[in-house]
Amino acid sequence: MQFISEQRLDDGVLEREFTLGEIPGTLWTPRSAAPAPLILMAHNNGLSKGEARLVARARHSAAHGYAVASIDAAGCGDRPRSAAAEQARADLRRAMQAGEPVDDIFESFVGPLVEKAVPDWRTTLDAVLALPEIGGPVGYSSWTALGIRLAVVEPRITAAGFFAGGYVPRAQREEARQVTIPLLFLLQWDDEGNPRQRALDLFDAFGSKEKTLHANLGGHTGTPWFEAEDGSRFFGRHLK
């Protein structure tokens, strides 16, 4: 793990860019000298770790005492993308805009993306937890499909916050029953890209004994900022 840049932000948070083999990432750590609990913060379906909403949430969490790591996993952000994946992404956007069925396209694109991303995230988790300023435990926040898979295969993750999970691959819908860690599930009631009933069915499928659903009016990118505060309280109960 090699740090390639760092800056101290106005709120005292230290932001460092790193590389881990072919994996580029960012690590935010709080001012506190004590080892901090860790949140893995994943972007959605091929977006970048530098996406503005993710960075804002990461800085907010770090200011509240958490270390936050985000990466561009295989096929995401600035990393190489296959022509087939780019065509599937374009087909998915077109079908959704036209109101056409998207399940087959979604499976061909997002299913492999999740499978390729999981090893990169586990490698990153190994490296970040080896740093003396980070002590665990570990939480996960953001992309639902990836989060389900990680929660099933990675026992070090002890709590998770999932965003807008209407569309997830069939494999992850089946794995949802194996997810037993505490969950906070955010749903945008008018999300144009995630059917409401599918999201509700997925929430019902999770095997967790503690799971909370927060539903807010608005579209996909309209999650109210106060949910960041609620997320901090949720992780505070389980990571601190």
Side-chain angles (χ1 to χ4, degrees), residues 91-102 106 167 192-194:
D91 291 344
L92 182 63
R93 285 196 297 265
R94 179 196 56 75
M96 292 181 71
Q97 290 170 356
E100 298 173 355
V102 300
F106 187 86
Y167 275 121
E192 61 281 4
N194 283 277

Side-chain angles (χ1 to χ4, degrees), residues 61-144:
S61 295
H64 281 70
Y66 303 95
V68 181
S70 185
I71 64 170
D72 283 340
C76 300
D78 295 328
R79 294 184 65 181
R81 305 187 185 198
S82 69
E86 288 302 284
Q87 183 60 54
R89 183 180 280 111
D91 291 344
L92 182 63
R93 285 196 297 265
R94 179 196 56 75
M96 292 181 71
Q97 290 170 356
E100 298 173 355
V102 300
D103 287 89
D104 289 342
I105 302 172
F106 187 86
E107 290 290 334
S108 68
F109 167 48
V110 178
L113 197 64
V114 169
E115 292 299 324
K116 292 176 182 177
V118 167
D120 285 354
W121 275 102
R122 300 189 77 181
T123 297
T124 301
L125 182 56
D126 290 340
V128 172
L129 286 179
L131 298 173
E133 64 269 34
I134 299 173
V138 182
Y140 171 90
S141 177
S142 292
W143 183 16
T144 299

Side-chain angles (χ1 to χ4, degrees), residues 142-182:
S142 292
W143 183 16
T144 299
L146 174 63
I148 291 172
R149 184 71 179 137
L150 280 174
V152 169
V153 302
E154 183 47 74
R156 290 173 290 184
I157 295 176
T158 60
F162 293 157
F163 283 51
Y167 275 121
V168 299
R170 295 183 187 95
Q172 277 67 65
R173 291 204 299 272
E174 294 172 359
E175 286 178 325
R177 291 171 176 78
Q178 301 176 46
V179 176
T180 58
I181 59 176

Side-chain angles (χ1 to χ4, degrees), residues 176-235:
R177 291 171 176 78
Q178 301 176 46
V179 176
T180 58
I181 59 176
L183 293 179
L184 175 62
F185 191 78
L186 300 184
L187 168 64
Q188 285 301 104
W189 204 247
D190 309 300
D191 190 335
E192 61 281 4
N194 283 277
R196 183 189 308 161
Q197 191 57 54
R198 285 197 180 200
L200 294 172
D201 291 343
L202 181 63
F203 177 77
D204 190 51
F206 287 122
S208 304
K209 292 183 179 179
E210 179 186 334
K211 53 182 178 180
T212 302
L213 172 67
H214 285 187
N216 291 284
L217 296 177
H220 185 69
T221 61
T223 303
W225 183 248
F226 61 71
E227 290 292 358
E229 296 289 346
D230 286 344
S232 291
R233 286 190 287 271
F234 167 78
F235 284 118

